[in-house]
Amino acid sequence: MSAQRSFTFLVNPASGGGAAPEAVVPVARLLREAGATVDVTYSPGPRSMPGLVTAAVERGDVVVSVGGDGMLSSLAGEVSAAGGTLAVLPAGRGNDFARMLGLPGTPEDLAALLLSGSTCRVDLLCASFPGVPPREVAGSVYCGVDARAAELVDGAHRLPRRLQYPYAAVRALLTYAPARYLLSVDGEERELEAATVVVANSAYYGKGMRIAPPASVTDGLLDVVVIEAASKAALVRSLPKVYDGGHVDLPEVTVLRGRRVELRADPSRAAGPGVPVGGDGEPLGTLPPLAGDPLVVEVRPAAVSVVC
């Protein structure tokens, strides 16, 4: 990329507890000093995203997501559909997709990457609930205790940022109730009792948890991590292993791979009305029941061009 490339920064002002607007300033300044054209827009909400992305791509701009994984996911599908190029300025609580891409952390290094970095094509996930338009997700779709933990993170703003995810994970594990899942991976079906099921494109989620160690965003495959029902104490004790990927060696953990995943679940009586589903830090809904049509998660290989 040359210094003359132009950029549209789309900023989620709420990301990172309000850190995103501050994060964009030094990077935008460095790009302008290098001769690049930079437009900064503070996102008025998801309904405005398609129009903003289309206009930016038609101008030939690289679309820069400024925020967390949820902001990135909301843009990735739109940039893909418009045939544009996406870049990431991580400014959220988790920043796990940026971690997966190995992006630098300083404004100077990020600006240099935007100016001269190459592009690569990465996979996306497409999650489809029955009767609902499909939704693209960049990192992972997860069901059960992990989705509950993500909900708890949103209510943990008073804690220091480094403690928010560990706190939410432990609290969710201590209050979880397993569900009965019907899981199909490329047509191979199994029924099991589990605490959580993660359909991963990226290896990381939950602010650095290496939930799917073999996962690659360029291999055209999904890594499905199933953590079967175990005692709450055992799950809490095993939590540190998730940070280095050591949990996959535990007997209650199964890792599957495929291109199409179907999911249904019936919660236990203690779990409430449904099994929650999340994607990249955002709530997506609840799993359909065992007798219903499934949630379908498919991989979209090489779906979007990203500055990497």
Side-chain angles (χ1 to χ4, degrees):
M1 292 186 184
S2 73
Q4 299 306 310
R5 183 168 287 276
S6 56
F7 301 89
T8 289
F9 285 74
L10 296 180
V11 186
N12 179 358
S15 287
E22 182 179 347
V24 76
V25 172
V27 177
R29 175 178 55 78
L30 289 165
L31 293 175
R32 290 182 176 123
E33 289 174 353
T37 301
V38 178
D39 179 76
V40 179
T41 298
Y42 293 91
S43 169
R47 291 184 180 179
S48 301
M49 290 295 186
L52 292 170
V53 170
T54 299
V57 173
E58 287 178 350
R59 289 194 301 269
D61 292 1
V62 173
V63 177
V64 185
S65 171
V66 185
D69 294 306
M71 178 67 170
L72 169 62
S73 277
S74 71
L75 289 174
E78 301 295 342
V79 175
S80 172
T85 297
L86 179 68
V88 184
L89 197 169
R93 286 195 297 264
N95 303 321
D96 286 300
F97 205 78
R99 182 176 287 105
M100 187 68 184
L101 294 176
L103 299 185
T106 68
E108 293 78 12
D109 288 342
L110 281 167
L113 177 69
L114 290 171
L115 289 168
S116 60
S118 59
T119 60
C120 57
R121 298 201 69 86
V122 303
D123 307 337
L124 295 177
L125 308 177
C126 183
S128 303
F129 287 88
V132 178
R135 177 165 175 173
E136 252 104 16
V137 175
S140 61
V141 173
Y142 38 85
C143 319
V145 69
D146 291 350
R148 175 60 181 146
E151 294 171 354
L152 291 170
V153 167
D154 287 336
H157 298 298
R158 294 184 179 180
L159 290 175
R161 289 174 63 181
R162 64 185 177 84
L163 297 179
Q164 289 172 0
Y165 278 95
Y167 159 81
V170 171
R171 184 176 170 191
L173 288 170
L174 290 174
T175 57
Y176 95 101
R180 196 72 189 167
Y181 287 83
L182 188 60
L183 167 67
S184 173
V185 180
D186 289 349
E188 184 176 336
E189 196 169 82
R190 60 185 71 198
E191 191 168 344
L192 43 87
E193 190 174 26
T196 193
V197 177
V198 182
V199 183
N201 182 36
S202 167
Y204 298 99
Y205 80 161
K207 195 175 177 64
M209 294 182 183
R210 200 168 174 222
I211 186 64
S216 165
V217 295
T218 59
D219 64 357
L221 292 170
L222 305 172
D223 286 64
V224 184
V225 181
V226 180
I227 302 178
E228 295 190 39
S231 73
K232 295 175 183 178
L235 289 171
V236 171
R237 283 197 304 270
S238 65
L239 183 61
K241 294 180 181 292
V242 182
Y243 284 92
D244 64 9
H247 64 291
V248 298
D249 296 324
L250 297 172
E252 61 267 27
V253 178
T254 301
V255 180
L256 307 167
R257 307 192 85 194
R259 292 177 171 82
R260 177 186 170 94
V261 177
E262 297 182 2
L263 277 163
R264 308 170 179 88
D266 281 344
S268 68
R269 291 181 180 178
V275 175
V277 183
D280 287 353
E282 302 294 326
L284 299 184
T286 57
L287 279 183
L290 294 181
D293 293 328
L295 164 65
V296 177
V297 185
E298 297 178 286
V299 65
R300 291 188 56 216
V304 65
S305 175
V306 176
V307 178
C308 56

